[in-house]
Amino acid sequence: MAAKINMRLDKNEMPSQDPNVRNKNFLEVALGYTEEQALDEAARCLNCKNHPCVDGCPVNVRIPEFIQKIVEKDYEGAYQVIHQTSSLPAVCGRVCPQESQCEMHCVRGKKGDPVGIGRLERFVADWHNAHSTEAAAVPAPNGHKVAVIGSGPAGLTCAGDLAKKGYEVTVFEALHLAGGVLVYGIPEFRLPKAIVQKEVDGLKAMGVKVETNTVVGRTITIDELMEEYGFEAVFIGSGAGLPMFMNIPGENLKGVYSANEFLTRINLMKAYREDSDTPIMDLKGKKVAVVGGGYIGLEMAEALLHLGKDVTLIEAGPRLLASFEPEFSELAAQELEKNGVRVRVGCRVQEIADAGSERIVRTSQGDFPCDMILMSVGVVPATDFLRDTGIRMARNGAILVDREMRTSLEHIYAAGDCAVVYHRLMEEDYFIPLGTYANKCGRIAGGNMAGAHEKFVGALGTAAIKVCGLEMGRTGMSEKDAARLGIDYSTKLVTANDHPAYYPAPTKLVIKLIYETRTRRLLGACVAGEKGAVMRADIFAVAIHAGMTT
């Protein structure tokens, strides 16, 4: 007898720490579904004939199949379904942007909330980690040996997929812990490092070797890996963890941090603990200046605001979030100001001066006294070790790859934030270090290293950010992109309620469309609003991919 489908429109809420408790600790905020909640949410899945959610998943997890296993209370079976195509289910269930991937395609999302796919994936992975006692199956060796440089999402995905095919895989990691950006870039309260370690341990149980404290290019070269150690192919997933600096006086003073260093100290080295060997200054009652108005700068400013700090955000350019349209940059600035962050745009930092107990940020708009400065002016790919290898790179150091993730050198592949991705609309390579495509491209690379010829279909540059209570998303081309490519384009800016007024509590939604003037083919879109606004950006991404018109 088929299980009864739950037709309730809203998904089960994620249990979370009380706000007045979580603001005093670094424990995980989201607590995960109970078994009862997971069963109730799983019953919302329609098990659609065409499974559009699977197409939306970067690694094509068989979503309806694993959800059906939950309905049957076969949680280990559900885990095994996920694990066939995903090497990091406990991580992906927590930090993958499901709202812009699998859940965006969920049929239930057309009327109401999509099924909570990510929350169910997390439930299954956590159940496996808590209850499974069986040793991981070690695939029969196929006699081939490959190296993976970097243990971030792209590297771990590539390593896991190759290990499942019987390859002898060794991962080389520069830091003392494996995980890459998962351990140094994502806060403990969002992704506990014990979860990352559990996933790494799972790969080790499958036979993957992990060599930490190994800086390829210094400790060992790629030529040595292939010629002396017998690796037949190499995957590079070294990420974009190198901060950019302004090279101004005072940038090396105590109390001045790059955003990368600050995050690494907090996330990887536990600098928030009283017994930390590498503490940061006590920020109680302190004034903080964040220099840089991109994605990371805004997120740092908001995080510091929630910690009760006095925050000033300084951006040299004429507006925040330069990849968004100007109207949306202004909305972001207004939202920050409304919540207590002082925003200064067109404000170029010239010097950081030592004033004894505090620092003075000297700018084109005057002086800003503060106790700590966070420099968030961009990152560059960690590819310096490749300069003399002959691998072709872009001017900023991003590795140039084709759509099969092959570099210019035979048997060497790359993916993730250290490499470019193909923009399917502009038909050119571009670099955006947001990790959005790391899993997908790492999996494609792993498959092709094993003899496949899968091509990455391309990205649309879809990105999202939450600024306090405002959600913002963008996709496709910007006006600047269209102008650069010589396209005759037009725009339409719309402000409306996010749902009809006869439903309770409508909120404002702002949408800007960019389209080709003659054909009216949709080229790009920006969306801003409250809860759920980002989902609309993804609808426009689907429309662009389908060649729809306005």
Side-chain angles (χ1 to χ4, degrees), residues 311-533:
V311 184
T312 301
L313 179 64
I314 301 171
E315 166 58 37
R319 57 190 179 90
L320 306 179
L321 295 172
S323 63
F324 280 78
E325 296 301 310
E327 300 90 340
F328 294 80
S329 299
E330 181 59 29
L331 288 174
Q334 291 172 2
E335 183 70 12
L336 287 168
E337 291 271 8
K338 183 177 77 174
N339 284 275
V341 175
R342 287 181 297 277
V343 177
R344 300 291 181 267
V345 296
C347 183
R348 186 168 296 279
V349 176
Q350 300 163 335
E351 177 187 6
I352 299 170
D354 186 350
S357 62
E358 64 180 8
R359 304 287 176 260
I360 306 294
V361 182
R362 303 199 187 283
T363 77
S364 57
Q365 295 182 11
D367 293 350
F368 295 92
C370 56
D371 301 288
M372 188 177 81
I373 300 102
L374 288 178
M375 308 298 288
S376 182
V377 293
V379 294
V380 293
T383 56
D384 275 352
F385 68 99
L386 301 174
R387 293 291 176 189
D388 298 323
T389 63
I391 292 176
R392 292 183 60 234
M393 293 185 283
R395 283 187 300 175
N396 68 346
I399 302 169
L400 297 176
V401 294
D402 64 15
R403 292 170 65 183
E404 294 186 359
M405 305 302 125
R406 302 174 191 272
T407 71
S408 56
L409 295 187
E410 191 175 12
H411 305 307
I412 299 180
Y413 297 72
D417 287 351
C418 66
V420 299
V421 293
Y422 175 74
H423 197 293
R424 67 201 303 174
L425 186 62
M426 295 192 287
E427 298 182 341
E428 63 185 18
D429 293 331
Y430 83 118
F431 174 70
I432 180 167
L434 295 177
T436 313
Y437 307 101
N439 274 10
K440 178 68 172 178
C441 293
R443 187 160 190 247
I444 289 173
N448 292 339
M449 290 168 78
H453 292 282
E454 183 181 356
K455 284 184 167 61
F456 178 51
V457 296
L460 280 175
T462 305
I465 186 171
K466 185 175 180 293
V467 184
C468 300
L470 181 71
E471 289 186 9
M472 292 175 46
R474 67 167 305 277
T475 188
M477 293 187 197
S478 65
E479 281 196 68
K480 185 176 179 181
D481 292 327
R484 177 177 60 82
L485 294 172
I487 297 173
D488 180 14
Y489 70 92
S490 301
T491 65
K492 182 70 174 178
L493 185 69
V494 178
T495 301
N497 288 335
D498 63 345
H499 57 253
Y502 50 78
Y503 284 111
T507 59
K508 187 174 77 169
L509 188 69
V510 182
I511 300 173
K512 184 173 184 178
L513 303 180
I514 302 162
Y515 57 93
E516 195 171 24
T517 304
R518 184 180 62 84
T519 65
R520 302 190 70 85
R521 178 174 64 110
L522 187 61
L523 300 173
C526 277
V527 182
E530 295 185 15
K531 184 179 178 181

Side-chain angles (χ1 to χ4, degrees), residues 530-549:
E530 295 185 15
K531 184 179 178 181
V534 168
M535 297 284 288
R536 289 173 168 83
D538 295 312
I539 292 170
F540 288 120
V542 173
I544 292 170
H545 174 56
M548 291 178 148
T549 58

